[in-house]
Amino acid sequence: MVTIEEAFSILKNALPNPKVAQVVLEKASKHILAEDLYAPISMPPFRQSAMDGFALGLYEGVEYEIVGEIKAGDAHQVELQAGQAVKIFTGAPVPDSASAVIQIEKVTVNGTKLQLEAPPKQGVNIRPIGEQNLKGELILEKGTLLNAACIGFLAGLGLTHVQVYQKPSVGILVTGNELVAPGLPLSYGKIYESNSVMLAIALQESFFGNATIYKVDDDFENTKIKIAQALDENEVILISGGISVGDYDFVAKALEALEVETLFYKVKQKPGKPLFAGKYNDKMVFALPGNPAASLTCFYVYVLPSLKIISGFTTDFGQTVSKKLTHNFTVSNARNQFLKGYIQGDEVTVLSHQNSSMLNTFSISNGLVYVEDGGYELAKGDVVEVFVI
Ligand code: AMP
Ligand code: MG
């Protein structure tokens, strides 16, 4: 049995290094950039009109002669003399000979005659070359979490691929003779299997893709075979249930038989005491308790930070926020606890139904309140640490 802090530090030292992969831009979002990126072009690449209006061969006067038109995408140059203007549209290239663009709203047009209210300032409404970035400039740093704006920014510079840290493939193996898939009739002694879908969705919500789900009954040989298969097909496996000390809990024995290295087994915490973490070559194995609330708590506290670190995030374990309790609370436990809580602003309320088998209040929880072991009173207004979920 290890403490929570020990479990965190063991994991930190054992997690495999992030792997780099070249991906198409469309697949890069929610990944961490694995390279410094330099601009392949200046943006804008040419002097660009910021307005619909007229590009002017500037002089002191307010009357101009319109000599042509340039729309977005056009490539022709127009040689403007002082006092000449060309009609121009947003995004169109401004001729080298023009030194300002005046908005359509600020002029009067009569045939080819253009009348201004006042002479505009030099350079106005012209986006200079490289106004956003110059060719060769550092545009995004290694370690950036890519989002829609990043993707648009890079696409706008003509990039089609980037190097990111790969996200590991994840397999979820569910154990238990008593488990029945939702939708089927429930006979006496059985319960509906909910951990696989819960963990799969928790992964999806955190952008860890589509997990492969495996199921096995409480049988040593079958458990061994399924774990071996899941290990073969994934980089990280999550096992649900069968990790306690009951006569029909075969996960620990199967992991041992498969020579999965134990990083730790059992953590001094509630819920989630039976948690196991192991390593098989460069692959990570987490065996989570079957009780649904314990399973999900271990997922958020241990598995998710691990997956993020493996994927190049700078996340650490045990990241909490400080909140004030909305009520008095009596602590009485020999283990440190993660309690389903509800955060509102800078306050947090400990919810009812804390049993590890119950998900009803987990469903409305947005944070796990962390309380140290012992027997003591917490008062309304006391500051507690909360794992945000
Ligand atoms: P175990 O860790 O296998 O001893 O299971 C602990 C408790 O969690 C038992 O009451 C199981 O029936 C329940 N449980 C185990 N796996 C699941 C699951 N996949 N979905 C829902 N409940 C489960
Ligand atoms: Mg079981």
Side-chain angles (χ1 to χ4, degrees), residues 119-378:
K121 284 207 188 90
Q122 179 98 11
V124 78
N125 296 325
I126 298 174
R127 302 174 186 151
I129 291 172
E131 185 181 34
Q132 173 187 276
N133 66 269
L134 288 168
K135 181 176 174 172
E137 199 178 300
L138 177 64
I139 43 164
L140 278 185
E141 280 183 53
K142 181 174 168 170
T144 304
L145 174 59
L146 298 173
N147 60 17
C150 297
I151 304 302
F153 178 36
L154 300 178
L157 297 173
L159 291 172
T160 58
H161 291 74
V162 284
Q163 305 235 10
V164 296
Y165 292 113
Q166 248 173 357
K167 295 198 178 175
S169 52
V170 183
I172 299 170
L173 170 61
V174 169
T175 72
N177 285 351
E178 73 280 30
L179 305 174
V180 173
L184 296 177
L186 197 64
S187 56
Y188 180 73
K190 308 283 187 195
I191 58 161
Y192 285 122
E193 195 281 296
S194 56
N195 285 351
S196 62
V197 68
M198 175 180 71
L199 294 169
I201 296 301
L203 287 163
Q204 273 181 20
E205 284 180 349
S206 307
F207 303 102
F208 282 96
N210 296 323
T212 308
I213 293 171
Y214 307 82
K215 294 186 178 164
V216 71
D217 54 354
D218 292 319
D219 173 271
F220 174 68
E221 279 305 320
N222 291 345
T223 303
K224 217 173 71 178
I225 291 166
K226 280 290 174 184
I227 293 177
Q229 185 193 349
L231 266 176
D232 192 44
E233 295 173 354
N234 302 279
E235 288 158 295
V236 174
I237 67 167
L238 313 182
I239 304 170
S240 151
I243 191 63
S244 300
V245 292
D247 289 351
Y248 297 93
D249 289 329
F250 293 112
V251 171
K253 294 176 196 102
L255 289 168
E256 196 189 335
L258 290 167
E259 295 184 355
V260 171
E261 176 201 346
T262 301
L263 294 170
F264 60 78
Y265 180 30
K266 298 199 176 99
V267 182
K268 196 168 168 249
Q269 62 183 2
K270 188 182 176 184
K273 184 171 125 194
L275 176 66
F276 168 99
K279 210 170 170 186
Y280 186 77
N281 300 326
D282 236 12
K283 302 185 174 194
M284 294 299 299
V285 178
F286 293 93
L288 313 174
N291 272 312
S295 219
L296 195 57
T297 298
C298 290
F299 176 85
Y300 285 125
V301 175
Y302 298 94
V303 177
L304 188 54
S306 298
L307 292 173
K308 286 186 167 174
I309 293 168
I310 294 172
S311 310
F313 286 70
T314 49
T315 317
D316 203 353
F317 292 96
Q319 291 195 325
T320 57
V321 295
S322 301
K323 298 285 168 188
K324 284 189 214 135
L325 274 178
T326 60
H327 53 88
N328 297 338
F329 187 74
T330 305
V331 179
S332 170
N333 209 289
R335 287 176 267 154
N336 293 4
Q337 297 180 79
F338 300 101
L339 301 166
K340 299 154 207 167
Y342 186 69
I343 302 169
Q344 246 179 330
D346 63 355
E347 295 186 325
V348 68
T349 303
V350 175
L351 299 169
S352 66
H353 296 78
Q354 289 295 336
N355 200 299
S356 64
S357 61
M358 300 177 183
L359 284 177
N360 55 340
T361 53
F362 216 140
S363 305
I364 53 166
S365 170
N366 56 8
L368 296 170
V369 180
Y370 182 65
V371 295
E372 301 267 335
D373 59 348
Y376 57 95
E377 301 292 329
L378 288 170

Side-chain angles (χ1 to χ4, degrees), residues 91-103:
V94 175
D96 295 343
S97 52
S99 45
V101 168
I102 185 138
Q103 285 152 268

